[in-house]
Amino acid sequence: MSIMEHRTHKHHRTHINSDVIFELTIPYITNSHDRQSISLVCKRWYELDSLTRKHITIALCYSTTPEQLHRRFPYLESLKLKGKPRAAMYNLIPEDWGGFVKPWVQEIARSFRCLKVVHFRRMIVTDEDLMVLGSGRGGGLQVLKLDKCSGFSTDGLLHISRSCRNLKTLFFEECQVTENDGEWLHELALNNTVLETLNFYMTDITKASFEDLALIARRCKSLTSVKISECDNLDIVGFFRDAKALQEFGGSWFQDTPEHYGIVVYPPRLCGLSLNYMGTYEVPIVFPAASRLKKLDLLYALLTTEDHCLLLQRCPNLEVLEARNVIGDRGMEVLANSCKKLKRLRIERGADELEMEFEEGVVSQRGLTAIAQGCLELEYIAVYVTDITNAALECLGLHLKNLQDFRMVLLDREEVITDLPLDNGVRTLLKCCDLRRFALYLRPGGLTDVGLTYIGQYSQNIRWMLLGYVGESDKGLLGFSKGCPSLQKLEVRGCCFSEHALASAVLQLRSLRYLWVQGYRGSSTGFDFLTMARPFWKIEIIPSRKVSVGEDKEVEHPAHVLAYYSLTESRTDFPESVIPLRYQLKGI
């Protein structure tokens, strides 16, 4: 063999070996962004990704079709599909906007023969859809999650309970469900022995039988997480006794006097609790289990700042906390001193009347600084604050090296904020933390154009961003758009930017796949958004409208624009409240 032939043979053998090695390796690569990069290398790797991809998340149901998805990934085992924009959770999107699951369910039942996990979020799901899904996937379906969905009843759940006997997870938290009866839970108890997670938390389900719940606990030995609609703890004593593997529970309350709850004994492995309507006198009931708690949800508890302090100082192993800002700066300091393993912290806004009742119940730079110095393992923080300083934001950036998701809303309770604008604090936070998600909702004067430019400059890896009341002019937005190389989803609210500036920013943000804006300076013609028009880019306008917020009270919602990347033709289910921009142009 000549030297040239030897080199050619060696190169060919190396090429074959590398392909074989990669084919064996690719099933272990699960990160979606890594997968996407791999599929662009060559045709063979594209095919391997297609054949071996097990999970996909589709951030907007109109960005592709079910048929396209099946052609691209025929052997999917897990699908997460999102419908209405995130703003729908705050009643900012018209109820009839869209997000119907019907075409997806039909294709799942017909073609996705390997699918085991289905997760629909903010979508319209009917009983017929659930029947088609149950009949089509039946025993193959292991996980069904309906997250903040609407349109179905307990009749649809009954069909799922009868058809899908291998379900390990049935989840419909915060769904709008029409309750006809409790037969669905009875059938689930009779037909299922492998259930691990059952969640109908924050729904209007009231006819579920506690006996059926206890039967599920006895039959399903691997049951680890149960979150239900509201009931008294005294009604589920038997369930707690039988659910020996239970690790997470939520939904019960304390309606009787504390001395009656001595018979309530939490399962020995329980380490996650959601405590509804628990008040000062009931807090000691939880103390015996507090030391082993890793997850605690106090969003719907009726606790004072002092109650939070007494409970949290007994939770040294806490990793996840959700509470309202009645926790106060003092509660945040106790959390920082006592819960060194904390990884996720969410502090929501409390009712205004409670804030006035508990004057301590506000969170400011004092509480955030304590968290930054005491909870060094924190990865996620979402917080409503009444006051904030640059120094506090800088402290967060300098101390929290694991932080990947930061969200802050500055409330309008105080007329004067100690230290605005927050340009320097935001710059340090972004420079020092390798964030992936970032939300900053301020008030006029909270961030200058320079600060907005800093956000673009130092957001190298951020993929999702929400900005509210930031910047001073179009100049700040255009400076912002020169950065953010990884940004895929951008939501903007209450800012001063013009249609033309928003469209120009979209063209600068090369990775952007989704834009939602509420409140902007409209052009004289209303069509300056066309500057961002390009192939596969859909633009929808929701005109300003009046929305009822209570009896005889309406508020004006400013106009919205929603733009997104889509591989499909424009959708055909537009309601009257949504104007597809390109269709409007045809009539001009």
Side-chain angles (χ1 to χ4, degrees):
M1 184 182 292
S2 67
I3 294 176
M4 185 61 69
E5 289 174 334
H6 176 75
R7 287 177 177 174
T8 302
H9 176 73
K10 183 177 179 181
H11 174 77
H12 179 67
R13 187 178 60 192
T14 303
H15 178 71
I16 293 175
N17 288 341
S18 64
D19 276 355
V20 171
I21 291 171
F22 186 72
E23 287 184 26
L24 296 173
T25 304
I26 193 171
Y28 299 97
I29 302 174
T30 57
N31 183 276
S32 60
H33 300 285
D34 293 340
R35 280 281 191 155
Q36 185 176 357
S37 299
I38 285 169
S39 69
L40 298 175
V41 172
C42 62
K43 183 178 180 181
R44 178 56 183 158
W45 286 19
Y46 177 92
E47 293 171 349
L48 284 172
D49 178 43
S50 177
L51 295 172
T52 59
R53 185 81 72 101
K54 301 301 182 185
H55 171 77
I56 194 85
T57 295
I58 298 176
L60 183 65
C61 61
Y62 295 114
S63 62
T64 186
T65 66
E67 295 78 13
Q68 287 174 321
L69 181 66
H70 181 255
R71 286 195 298 271
R72 178 70 177 90
F73 303 112
Y75 301 111
L76 277 182
E77 295 181 4
S78 173
L79 170 64
K80 181 177 182 179
L81 182 67
K82 299 180 183 180
K84 295 178 182 180
R86 202 181 64 92
M89 295 190 298
Y90 307 99
N91 298 318
L92 298 176
I93 301 295
E95 184 64 28
D96 61 354
W97 176 84
F100 299 94
V101 83
K102 188 179 188 66
W104 290 92
V105 165
Q106 291 174 339
E107 187 66 20
I108 287 170
R110 181 169 54 245
S111 305
F112 286 88
R113 308 315 302 171
C114 300
L115 202 62
K116 302 175 183 177
V117 178
V118 175
H119 182 178
F120 298 133
R121 181 171 171 83
R122 298 191 299 270
M123 300 195 74
I124 298 174
V125 183
T126 66
D127 288 342
E128 182 184 355
D129 295 329
L130 294 178
M131 291 176 187
V132 170
L133 182 62
S135 301
R137 293 303 305 129
L141 193 64
Q142 296 181 5
V143 175
L144 176 60
K145 297 184 74 173
L146 307 175
D147 189 358
K148 298 178 175 66
C149 293
S150 61
F152 64 98
S153 75
T154 50
D155 291 346
L157 295 174
L158 176 61
H159 189 84
I160 291 293
S161 296
R162 287 173 173 168
S163 304
C164 307
R165 303 193 174 201
N166 293 314
L167 270 185
K168 294 183 179 180
T169 295
L170 179 58
F171 176 111
F172 52 102
E173 181 174 327
E174 289 190 57
C175 284
Q176 297 177 30
V177 190
T178 300
E179 185 178 35
N180 297 322
D181 53 47
E183 187 65 19
W184 68 275
L185 188 64
H186 184 65
E187 287 292 322
L188 187 67
L190 294 178
N191 294 322
N192 194 301
T193 60
V194 296
L195 197 67
E196 298 174 1
T197 297
L198 175 63
N199 188 328
F200 52 98
Y201 190 57
M202 302 308 295
T203 67
D204 291 330
I205 297 293
T206 60
K207 298 178 182 178
S209 165
F210 304 124
E211 289 75 16
D212 290 333
L213 200 61
L215 180 57
I216 290 174
R218 289 194 297 272
R219 287 172 54 84
C220 302
K221 303 301 182 183
S222 298
L223 190 68
T224 57
S225 177
V226 174
K227 298 182 75 174
I228 62 177
S229 53
E230 297 164 0
C231 72
D232 194 288
N233 276 280
L234 294 175
D235 295 326
I236 50 176
V237 171
F239 165 76
F240 282 143
R241 182 181 61 247
D242 295 326
K244 301 198 182 328
L246 197 68
Q247 298 177 21
E248 180 182 24
F249 179 79
S252 62
W253 58 18
F254 300 91
Q255 202 170 17
D256 212 326
T257 53
E259 58 267 19
H260 287 100
Y261 290 95
I263 61 173
V264 177
V265 179
Y266 291 126
R269 299 182 186 178
L270 193 73
C271 56
L273 271 177
S274 300
L275 299 169
N276 292 0
Y277 310 117
M278 181 180 70
T280 299
Y281 297 112
E282 293 82 35
V283 172
I285 298 172
V286 184
F287 286 171
S291 63
R292 64 175 187 264
L293 290 180
K294 294 182 179 180
K295 183 176 181 180
L296 184 59
D297 181 350
L298 301 175
L299 286 175
Y300 300 100
L302 305 176
L303 303 181
T304 66
T305 302
E306 178 64 20
D307 297 332
H308 280 84
C309 294
L310 291 174
L311 179 55
L312 292 174
Q313 67 188 12
R314 291 170 167 82
C315 301
N317 293 306
L318 200 64
E319 296 179 2
V320 179
L321 174 65
E322 298 184 59
R324 296 198 180 269
N325 53 6
V326 68
I327 187 175
D329 284 334
R330 189 157 64 90
M332 296 281 272
E333 289 170 340
V334 171
L335 183 66
N337 289 329
S338 305
C339 307
K340 300 297 184 181
K341 299 178 182 179
L342 196 69
K343 290 182 170 61
R344 294 179 62 88
L345 175 61
R346 177 183 168 202
I347 305 297
E348 287 283 349
R349 177 179 187 170
D352 290 337
E353 60 270 19
L354 285 178
E355 289 184 26
M356 296 304 294
E357 182 179 350
F358 304 120
E359 283 300 319
E360 279 190 292
V362 295
V363 175
S364 70
Q365 60 270 10
R366 172 184 152 196
L368 283 184
T369 301
I371 290 295
Q373 295 172 341
C375 300
L376 302 183
E377 296 184 21
L378 206 64
E379 299 171 1
Y380 166 97
I381 181 170
V383 58
Y384 284 73
V385 297
T386 56
D387 197 7
I388 189 64
T389 62
N390 281 281
L393 293 177
E394 291 169 359
C395 190
L396 288 167
L398 293 172
H399 288 87
L400 302 180
K401 300 305 180 183
N402 295 332
L403 194 65
Q404 294 191 350
D405 192 333
F406 175 84
R407 311 180 191 196
M408 187 184 78
V409 176
L410 178 59
L411 297 172
D412 56 5
R413 172 173 167 168
E414 301 295 332
E415 290 187 13
V416 178
I417 302 301
T418 301
D419 186 17
L420 293 182
L422 298 172
D423 296 2
N424 293 330
V426 168
R427 177 179 58 180
T428 302
L429 174 67
L430 292 171
K431 282 180 68 175
C432 297
C433 296
D434 188 17
L435 297 178
R436 296 296 187 273
R437 299 170 71 85
F438 179 70
L440 191 66
Y441 197 98
L442 301 176
R443 52 202 280 181
L447 201 73
T448 69
D449 284 345
V450 172
L452 190 53
T453 302
Y454 286 156
I455 293 179
Q457 184 178 354
Y458 296 108
S459 298
Q460 293 299 305
N461 295 312
I462 291 177
R463 300 189 182 109
W464 170 84
M465 190 178 295
L466 166 65
L467 299 174
Y469 294 97
V470 298
E472 303 164 296
S473 68
D474 288 349
K475 180 181 178 181
L477 180 63
L478 296 175
F480 161 85
S481 66
K482 293 177 182 178
C484 298
S486 304
L487 188 62
Q488 295 180 345
K489 296 184 69 174
L490 174 62
E491 301 176 19
V492 181
R493 194 174 176 209
C495 294
C496 58
F497 312 128
S498 67
E499 288 183 12
H500 182 75
L502 286 164
S504 299
V506 167
L507 296 176
Q508 289 280 354
L509 296 164
R510 298 300 182 184
S511 296
L512 197 68
R513 295 293 180 267
Y514 175 97
L515 172 73
W516 175 79
V517 181
Q518 184 197 40
Y520 52 85
R521 285 191 287 116
S523 63
S524 58
T525 63
F527 294 115
D528 279 8
F529 281 127
L530 288 174
T531 307
M532 64 179 167
R534 59 188 189 272
F536 307 112
W537 190 247
K538 314 301 183 191
I539 306 172
E540 300 179 8
I541 303 295
I542 302 175
S544 60
R545 59 197 176 95
K546 290 185 177 180
V547 179
S548 176
V549 293
E551 293 183 7
D552 303 322
K553 186 177 181 181
E554 290 184 333
V555 295
E556 182 83 15
H557 275 193
H560 306 231
V561 62
L562 176 66
Y564 54 92
Y565 183 81
S566 174
L567 298 173
T568 74
E569 295 296 324
S570 290
R571 64 187 180 108
T572 58
D573 59 355
F574 289 107
E576 292 183 0
S577 57
V578 178
I579 302 173
L581 198 54
R582 75 179 187 90
Y583 284 167
Q584 189 181 46
L585 279 177
K586 289 182 178 180
I588 293 177

